[in-house]
Amino acid sequence: MFDPPLIFSLLFFFFSVLHQRSYVFTFLLSSRLFLHPYELMTRVCHLCVEQQRSGDALLDKIRFREVAPKLVQLLTEWTETFPYDFRDERMMRCLKDMTHHVARGDEYSWRAMQQMTQRLIKRLSALGQYEEAVAALNNVANERPASLKTKQAPGQRNDVLSVCDDPFIMAQQLTHIELVRTIGGENTETATVCLCGFFRKRKTSNLEAYVNWFNRLSYMVATEICMPVKKKHRARIIEFFIDVAQECFNIGNFNSLMAIITGMNMSPVSRLKKTWSKVNTDKFEILEHQMDPSSNFSNYRTALRGATQRSETAHSSQEKIVIPFFSLLIKDIYFLNEGCASRLPNGHINFEKLWELAKQVSEFLVWRQVVCPFDRDRRILQYLVTTPVFSEDELHLASYESEGPENNMEKDSRRSLRCGLKQ
């Protein structure tokens, strides 16, 4: 934990460079590696009070008018970027106390504080509504298909091709979900909270929503492939998802791309040899190579740099899209935090580490600020987020019923699955 003199000196330093927003963001982000946000808030509140205690009323007013605008700027950045901190009632009380102190010294800053607090309350309300909506969607999505692989005739159950047979449009709708639904909608501050919560070893509902979405998409792909009765139809769905994956790559949507590849490589899908024999896999093999995990995902990282450069020089909204493979981004941040000491051997803070952490998170925030340029298709979006998907056991059984067991081990597995799912 920081020593009080150190945190005060850091606060004064950041007050002196508040005109550079990146410094403020770096400070607010990295400070939580050392102390709880509430502890930092109490120190800020203490500084606010100390500015009015010299004993000279005129001097106090002059000094506070110099500090007040910087205080407002710090708190504005804090409330906009890390709103979840203020779900702590103690934080809100500190904010109220500081508003009271600001009112005594600077009317302009006091009004700014009031407006900031109103925006914060609205934002917290919106985030709460978002979380309730995600929970409701998850409840619908967790429903299982009414009957497990009952050899339904074509047309008895909607599948992905009955909803959308255009790979480019499907990739566009997946991009909508990645940019809007997964970690807090268009509120980029929620993305920051997710990442910060991760390296503070604190789960957040939005971080879980992002991971759950990746898993859901993977299982949906596998379900869609294993469900059809006819081999020809299964092959057509595989080809469709290969094309969707290619379009995701072209767009810069690497998270959906990886989720689709993951679903197609799940064992219930990969064992369908008769089905795969009907598919031209050249394009799929190229995509797998792009996302190959060897050499720490070097091929993917090269593609990501290319997408980032395209985004920086973009002439259209579509060219600005960069959606990284989120699990790898989290892994990179985790190992940067765990692999580098927060303090140097001499006891000083490792600012190089803090800058790198802030750089990775802020780069992600820039990507999240892109407004999706594609038209929404509500029918497709509804299908993607609510259609029931099989569990792992259900997938294996559906796979065995599509293409029978090839050996005794698979026969035993099918028998066991049938018994287990009937119970």
Side-chain angles (χ1 to χ4, degrees), residues 179-192:
L179 288 173
V180 177
R181 178 183 182 272
T182 45
I183 54 173
E186 296 171 358
N187 298 302
T188 57
E189 64 272 13
T190 311
T192 316

Side-chain angles (χ1 to χ4, degrees), residues 384-399:
L384 289 170
V385 300
T386 63
T387 189
V389 299
F390 282 147
S391 67
E392 188 170 356
D393 285 349
E394 290 167 339
L395 278 173
H396 278 286
L397 186 52
S399 177

Side-chain angles (χ1 to χ4, degrees), residues 25 29 195 355 357-367:
F25 175 75
L29 176 70
L195 298 171
W355 276 116
L357 279 172
K359 177 184 175 184
Q360 290 198 23
V361 175
S362 60
E363 187 175 56
F364 181 72
L365 290 184
V366 170
W367 295 334

Side-chain angles (χ1 to χ4, degrees), residues 339-358:
C340 299
S342 297
R343 288 185 182 274
L344 300 173
N346 60 7
H348 293 174
I349 294 172
N350 186 353
F351 280 103
E352 185 176 352
K353 169 188 172 177
L354 304 187
W355 276 116
E356 186 59 31
L357 279 172

Side-chain angles (χ1 to χ4, degrees), residues 16 24 152 161 188 192 233 255-256 293 296 342:
S16 69
V24 186
Q152 295 168 314
L161 293 179
T188 57
T192 316
H233 192 50
N255 202 60
S256 290
N296 194 20
S342 297

Side-chain angles (χ1 to χ4, degrees), residues 215-234:
N215 293 336
R216 171 178 170 74
L217 179 54
S218 297
Y219 274 82
M220 191 203 79
V221 169
T223 299
E224 294 288 342
I225 294 171
C226 291
M227 177 66 76
V229 175
K230 294 185 177 181
K231 175 174 57 180
K232 181 179 179 181
H233 192 50
R234 292 195 299 272

